[in-house]
Amino acid sequence: VDSHTVFEQHSPHGVIGNELILEHVHPNLMGYAILSDAFYREMKAEKIFNIVYEKEMLFDELTANMPITKIDSLSGIYRVSTLKKSWPFNLILDDAPINVTTRLEKLAWRLSRREIEWQQAMDSLYYYYVAHNELEKAGKVVEGMVLEHPNEQNYWERAATIQAKIGNKAKAIGLFEKAFDLSPTFERARFLFVLYLQLDKPFEALPYINYGIKNNHSSFNLEQLKDQVEDVIRTKERLKFDSMNVTVMSHIAKAYINMDNLEGATKYAQKALAIDRSNEEARSVTLEINRKLSRL
């Protein structure tokens, strides 16, 4: 991979400098992003792996979603600042002390001086964000921990739980599936089939319901749930050939209500009313959904 040329192409006037390099050797975050993208493109061109284009992460998405925390960035700044006061750098640097006042700055300073391990710093940062209900930032922290410990199912589950709480169900499913693959449990299966049903994906929910039936240690009647889910799958097939059938939509909405899947029920009730505002069945289903929502 001709990464040197790629770096020149992304540098002003073709001269590689501190836009992409931290000191004199190591790339900065943008430099590493460009480096990884260059390797990815070359492997893709050589057909080393198959591409699922719907899941492909493009360069802009990569740079926008790097799981880099404030502590990571500050620690890097502190280390490089210290490094540049020594040979081979001969710049006259500002010797003013670095201000370290906030909790995050103190953690980053201790990390840069190797007084604490990275894992300890990330754990402290994660619980700090959770305690302050900054869940998106907590999700960024635990995503980095997942990359550092890819075979630890608990980190995948922690990341999935955060994504579910902030409403990113599709991402939560992917994370829960990884945790389930590493260590299948009833609770992980339950999370997965609930999320799939909320996203109106009953067929994808079915394998996890079947796992739950075989490993059920709850009082929940999963056999009944399976019957209801299979009914929804069959009924959805009818919509492929009769997409404006309000009665079929209302039937699916009722089935989802019986599962306590109000998100799925709302989707089909709204579709039915959009087609026929005066349809009594659709109006009745909508009232039932609103009653249940008011009790939450």
Side-chain angles (χ1 to χ4, degrees):
V1 178
D2 185 5
S3 53
H4 186 270
T5 297
V6 176
F7 268 56
E8 288 179 330
Q9 291 169 349
H10 285 82
S11 299
H13 312 293
V15 179
I16 301 171
N18 63 7
E19 292 84 8
L20 301 179
I21 303 294
L22 271 178
E23 8 74 331
H24 61 298
V25 175
H26 299 96
N28 59 20
L29 285 178
M30 182 55 69
Y32 272 119
I34 290 169
L35 187 64
S36 67
D37 190 60
F39 272 78
Y40 173 74
R41 288 175 181 275
E42 196 67 31
M43 289 188 287
K44 181 178 173 181
E46 292 292 328
K47 295 182 171 54
I48 291 175
F49 43 70
N50 295 322
I51 302 296
V52 181
Y53 288 98
E54 307 85 62
K55 296 183 178 181
E56 186 176 30
M57 180 182 287
L58 301 179
F59 184 74
D60 288 344
E61 187 181 356
L62 166 68
T63 54
N65 294 299
M66 284 185 179
I68 304 300
T69 69
K70 188 173 182 179
I71 285 181
D72 291 314
S73 295
L74 284 172
S75 177
I77 289 169
Y78 298 156
R79 287 179 180 178
V80 173
S81 176
T82 301
L83 174 71
K84 285 187 175 180
K85 293 179 181 179
S86 306
W87 184 90
F89 302 96
N90 57 9
L91 299 176
I92 299 174
L93 297 173
D94 184 5
D95 286 330
I98 296 173
N99 289 322
V100 179
T101 54
T102 69
R103 177 184 175 85
L104 302 191
E105 287 169 347
K106 289 176 181 177
L107 279 171
W109 179 253
R110 294 183 65 200
L111 178 62
S112 71
R113 295 169 64 85
R114 294 188 170 90
E115 294 175 6
I116 57 174
E117 297 293 327
W118 181 82
Q119 186 67 46
Q120 184 181 350
M122 291 301 105
D123 279 335
S124 296
L125 185 60
Y126 171 78
Y127 288 114
Y128 172 83
Y129 283 142
V130 169
H132 289 78
N133 203 34
E134 297 182 71
L135 297 183
E136 288 194 14
K137 291 180 180 178
K140 184 80 77 173
V141 173
V142 77
E143 190 176 337
M145 294 161 80
V146 160
L147 292 175
E148 187 72 13
H149 305 284
N151 294 317
E152 294 289 334
Q153 67 270 14
N154 291 333
Y155 287 122
W156 289 97
E157 183 170 327
R158 188 188 293 183
T161 302
I162 290 289
Q163 293 302 322
K165 284 182 178 179
I166 63 179
N168 194 345
K169 292 185 173 64
K171 190 169 184 177
I173 284 173
L175 294 165
F176 266 125
E177 284 186 327
K178 182 63 178 179
F180 184 86
D181 288 344
L182 289 169
S183 179
T185 67
F186 175 83
E187 284 303 317
R188 287 172 185 153
R190 184 179 67 83
F191 269 113
L192 282 163
F193 69 66
V194 167
L195 287 170
Y196 269 128
L197 290 174
Q198 288 174 347
L199 292 179
D200 186 33
K201 295 185 175 182
F203 184 79
E204 289 84 349
L206 207 50
Y208 297 104
I209 294 172
N210 287 331
Y211 177 90
I213 290 171
K214 293 178 181 177
N215 300 273
N216 193 358
H217 54 71
S218 71
S219 59
F220 195 63
N221 187 346
L222 291 182
E223 292 284 1
Q224 181 180 349
L225 176 64
K226 180 180 179 180
D227 291 341
Q228 293 168 339
V229 169
E230 289 177 337
D231 176 53
V232 168
I233 293 171
R234 288 191 298 269
T235 309
K236 284 184 70 173
E237 286 295 313
R238 291 176 59 188
L239 278 182
K240 292 180 181 179
F241 306 100
D242 190 4
S243 61
M244 303 294 283
N245 193 319
V246 173
T247 300
V248 171
M249 292 176 188
S250 298
H251 179 86
I252 295 174
K254 287 177 184 176
Y256 275 146
I257 289 174
N258 291 334
M259 301 178 207
D260 283 330
N261 176 16
L262 299 184
E263 289 184 45
T266 300
K267 172 183 174 179
Y268 284 93
Q270 289 177 346
K271 277 186 175 183
L273 287 176
I275 295 169
D276 185 357
R277 202 76 187 162
S278 62
N279 185 277
E280 286 300 322
E281 195 172 16
R283 287 164 65 88
S284 174
V285 168
T286 302
L287 286 172
E288 178 63 20
I289 293 169
N290 291 335
R291 277 196 294 271
K292 284 183 173 288
L293 286 172
S294 67
R295 298 189 197 119
L296 297 178

